[in-house]
C-alpha cells in the first residue's frame, strides 16, 4: 500500500491565526509538519502544490446542514433532495453536521445517520444532531440521551423549533428537559451535548430560551440558537443572550432578499461585534439543503428554493472584503469556532496532529481553488476531482 502525501509550499497560512509564509505537510489524513523548506518523505506518493500568492486556511466546518434533504412545507414535491459530496466540497466545506428539520415523519434520524456515513465514506467529515423540530422529537434508540451517548456521530439534540408555527411550541420545562438529555448524554459520551435550537419568525423570539434559564439550571453555553439574523429584533435579543453567556449562530443562507427584516449574516456578525459580542461566541452555518420559501408581499407562497452550501464561504469572504475583518476573525466563525462549540476533534484548525482539511484561496477574487479533505485533494485548480458515488461527473456549478 502506498501512503499518500500532500505538501503545500509557500502559502500565506491562517490556522485561522496567521502563520506567516509556511509549508504544510500531510501524510495520510494528518498534518505532520508546518514550517519552511519541507520536503515529502521519499516513501510516500506525494502531490506538491505551489501556493503562489494564495492563502491557506482550514476547511470550513458547517454546523447546520440538511444533508439528507429537508423541507416539504407546501407538499411532498417540495421535499428537498439530498446533498452530494461535491455540493459541499466545491464550496470548501470539509466538515458538515447534519440536521433533520421540520419533517420528522417521512424522514428519520437513522436515514440522516446513514447519509452522514455515506459522505464520510466518500471523503469528508460528518456528524449529526438527533431530533427534529418537534419537542416530542425523533431519535434512533428511543432516547435522546442514549443517542448522544451511544451513537458515534451524534453530537447533540436539534434542531428543535421555538417561535415557529411549524414547531411544537415547547414550554420552558420541555426545553430544559431536552437540554438536560443532550447534556448528560454528552457528559457520559464525551461529546458536546448541545441543544441546537431553530428560532423561527414568531414574535416570541428567544423568549422561550430566556424562560428556560429562569426555571432550570441549564448552562447557557450548551444551548445554541440559530437563524438569529432572520429579523433585526431577534439580533437585539441575541445580544442579551450573548450577555448571559450563550452562543449565537447566524445563517448564511439568509439574505436581505428574504424579507424587509432579514439581515445578511455578514452584516449581522459585524453588527454583533460592534455591540461587543465576543467573536468566540459566534458561528456561521449555511442551512444548506433546507427549503427556502419565498413569499409574495401578501404572504402567498411564490416559490421554494433550496439553501446553498456556497453561502458559507460567501459570507466569510464578505466579512473579509466588504467589512474589512482580518482573515483570522472572518475564518474563525466558520472553522475553529464551530469545531470548538461542538467539540469536534481535530478539525477546524491547521495544526500538527489535526486532519489535513485545507483550502487554498485566491486573496484577490476570493475564489476557492484547491480543497484538501482528510489528506486528499478533492478540488484541484477550481474543479472537483473526487465525486460522490452516484454523482454525474462535471454536473452542477
Ligand atoms: Zn432551521
Amino acid at each position: 500500500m502506498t501512503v499518500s502525501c500532500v505538501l503545500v509550499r509557500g502559502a500565506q497560512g491562517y490556522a485561522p491565526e496567521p502563520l506567516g509564509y509556511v509549508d504544510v505537510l500531510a501524510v495520510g489524513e494528518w498534518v505532520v509538519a508546518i514550517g519552511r523548506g519541507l520536503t515529502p518523505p521519499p516513501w510516500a506518493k506525494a502531490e506538491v502544490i505551489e501556493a503562489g500568492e494564495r492563502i491557506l486556511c482550514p476547511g470550513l466546518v458547517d454546523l447546520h446542514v440538511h444533508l439528507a434533504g429537508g423541507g416539504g412545507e407546501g407538499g411532498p414535491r417540495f421535499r428537498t433532495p439530498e446533498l452530494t459530496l461535491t455540493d459541499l466540497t466545491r464550496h470548501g466545506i470539509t466538515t458538515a453536521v447534519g440536521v433533520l428539520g421540520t419533517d420528522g415523519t417521512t424522514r428519520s434520524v437513522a436515514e440522516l445517520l446513514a447519509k452522514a456515513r455515506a459522505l464520510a465514506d466518500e471523503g469528508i467529515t460528518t456528524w449529526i444532531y438527533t431530533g427534529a423540530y418537534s419537542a416530542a422529537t425523533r431519535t434512533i434508540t428511543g432516547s435522546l440521551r442514549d443517542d448522544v451517548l451511544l451513537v458515534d456521530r451524534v453530537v447533540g439534540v436539534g434542531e428543535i423549533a421555538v417561535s415557529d408555527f411549524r414547531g411544537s411550541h415547547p414550554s420552558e420545562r420541555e426545553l430544559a428537559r431536552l437540554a438536560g438529555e443532550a447534556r448528560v448524554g454528552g457528559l457520559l459520551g464525551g461529546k458536546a451535548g448541545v441543544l441546537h435550537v431553530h428560532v423561527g419568525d414568531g414574535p416570541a423570539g428567544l423568549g422561550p430560551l430566556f424562560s428556560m434559564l429562569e426555571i432550570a439550571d441549564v448552562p447557557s453555553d450548551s444551548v445554541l440558537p440559530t437563524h438569529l439574523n432572520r429579523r433585526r429584533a431577534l439580533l437585539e435579543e441575541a445580544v442579551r443572550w450573548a450577555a448571559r453567556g450563550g452562543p449565537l449562530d447566524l445563517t448564511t443562507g439568509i439574505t436581505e432578499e428574504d424579507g424587509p427584516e432579514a439581515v445578511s449574516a455578514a452584516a449581522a456578525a459585524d453588527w454583533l461585534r460592534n455591540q461587543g459580542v465576543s467573536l468566540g461566541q459566534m458561528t456561521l452555518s449555511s442551512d444548506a439543503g433546507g427549503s427556502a420559501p419565498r413569499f409574495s408581499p401578501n404572504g402567498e407562497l411564490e416559490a421554494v428554493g433550496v439553501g446553498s452550501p456556497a453561502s458559507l464561504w460567501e459570507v466569510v469572504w464578505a466579512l473579509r472584503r466588504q467589512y474589512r475583518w482580518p482573515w483570522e476573525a472572518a475564518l474563525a466563525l466558520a472553522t475553529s469556532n464551530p469545531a470548538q462549540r461542538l467539540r469536534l476533534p481535530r478539525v477546524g484548525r491547521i495544526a500538527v496532529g489535526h486532519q489535513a482539511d485545507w483550502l487554498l484561496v485566491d486573496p484577490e477574487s476570493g475564489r476557492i481553488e484547491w480543497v484538501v479533505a482528510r489528506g486528499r485533494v478533492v478540488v484541484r485548480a477550481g474543479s472537483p476531482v473526487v465525486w460522490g458515488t452516484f454523482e454525474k461527473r462535471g454536473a452542477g456549478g
Side-chain angles (χ1 to χ4, degrees):
M1 192 186 109
T2 356
V3 178
S4 68
C5 152
V6 182
L7 173 62
V8 173
R9 268 210 285 242
Q12 200 187 333
Y14 290 90
E17 301 78 25
L19 296 168
Y21 279 92
V22 284
D23 303 345
V24 185
L25 176 65
V27 174
E29 295 192 5
W30 309 102
V31 178
V32 298
I34 300 173
R36 294 285 190 102
L38 300 180
T39 49
W43 39 264
K45 184 169 167 282
E47 173 155 2
V48 178
I49 304 167
E50 299 294 344
E53 289 305 306
R54 298 182 191 93
I55 70 150
L56 175 71
C57 66
L60 304 181
V61 178
D62 193 340
L63 65 70
H64 186 114
V65 195
H66 297 271
L67 294 176
E73 302 96 331
R77 75 190 172 98
F78 292 105
R79 295 169 92 256
T80 59
E82 290 189 0
L83 294 177
T84 65
L85 180 71
T86 64
D87 285 339
L88 300 165
T89 55
R90 71 168 76 230
H91 302 299
I93 297 164
T94 55
T95 298
V97 188
V99 282
L100 211 51
T102 318
D103 181 357
T105 301
T106 74
R107 298 179 183 279
S108 71
V109 187
E111 180 192 10
L112 178 62
L113 176 65
K115 175 65 188 180
R117 285 186 175 153
L119 287 165
D121 282 352
E122 292 172 347
I124 62 167
T125 302
T126 55
W127 297 86
I128 65 166
Y129 303 92
T130 184
Y133 269 23
S134 166
T137 207
R138 300 297 184 251
T139 69
I140 293 174
T141 63
S143 148
L144 290 171
R145 179 168 66 173
D146 292 0
D147 278 11
V148 179
L149 167 54
L150 299 173
V151 181
D152 54 1
R153 278 175 209 278
V154 175
V155 288
V157 171
E159 57 177 320
I160 302 293
V162 301
S163 307
D164 195 310
F165 69 93
R166 293 167 294 174
S168 63
H169 309 286
S171 68
E172 59 264 31
R173 215 157 273 291
E174 270 179 298
L175 287 169
R177 182 186 65 79
L178 295 170
E181 289 279 284
R183 186 163 163 75
V184 176
L187 284 175
L188 298 173
K191 313 261 188 79
V194 296
L195 174 62
H196 187 37
V197 179
H198 158 110
V199 186
D201 273 331
L206 286 171
L209 297 188
F210 286 115
S211 306
M212 176 191 68
L213 293 188
E214 297 309 317
I215 61 134
D217 182 21
V218 174
S220 57
D221 68 351
S222 68
V223 179
L224 175 61
T226 187
H227 314 320
L228 298 174
N229 49 319
R230 70 189 318 150
R231 288 191 295 122
R232 179 147 306 270
L234 193 55
L235 274 181
E236 280 160 21
E237 288 184 58
V239 175
R240 284 198 290 125
W241 180 252
R244 299 287 296 266
L248 311 175
D249 188 55
L250 304 170
T251 299
T252 57
I254 295 173
T255 68
E256 269 87 10
E257 287 164 28
D258 288 314
E261 286 298 305
V263 185
S264 78
D270 193 58
W271 184 82
L272 288 168
R273 193 181 180 209
N274 290 333
Q275 301 300 306
V277 174
S278 93
L279 279 181
Q281 279 173 285
M282 280 190 248
T283 50
L284 299 171
S285 64
S286 70
D287 201 11
S291 61
R294 301 264 161 157
F295 295 97
S296 68
N298 54 8
E300 276 165 32
L301 185 67
E302 281 186 327
V304 180
V306 183
S308 164
S311 64
L312 188 58
W313 177 256
E314 284 166 3
V315 168
V316 171
W317 175 242
L319 285 170
R320 172 73 192 133
R321 187 39 70 98
Q322 250 172 285
Y323 292 90
R324 305 275 162 201
W325 282 30
W327 269 119
E328 58 269 34
L331 288 168
L333 300 198
T335 60
S336 54
N337 285 9
Q340 225 170 347
R341 180 62 55 197
L342 296 184
R343 286 177 56 189
L344 309 180
R346 297 181 294 279
V347 298
R349 304 193 66 78
I350 295 181
V352 171
H354 272 52
Q355 274 177 211
D357 294 335
W358 306 331
L359 313 182
L360 272 168
V361 177
D362 178 337
E364 286 307 309
S365 65
R367 197 170 119 93
I368 298 174
E369 295 187 333
W370 296 70
V371 180
V372 175
R374 287 165 48 200
R376 188 162 62 141
V377 175
V378 294
V379 173
R380 180 179 287 129
S383 301
V385 290
V386 174
W387 299 86
T389 314
F390 295 108
E391 281 192 273
K392 243 212 227 130
R393 280 160 190 261

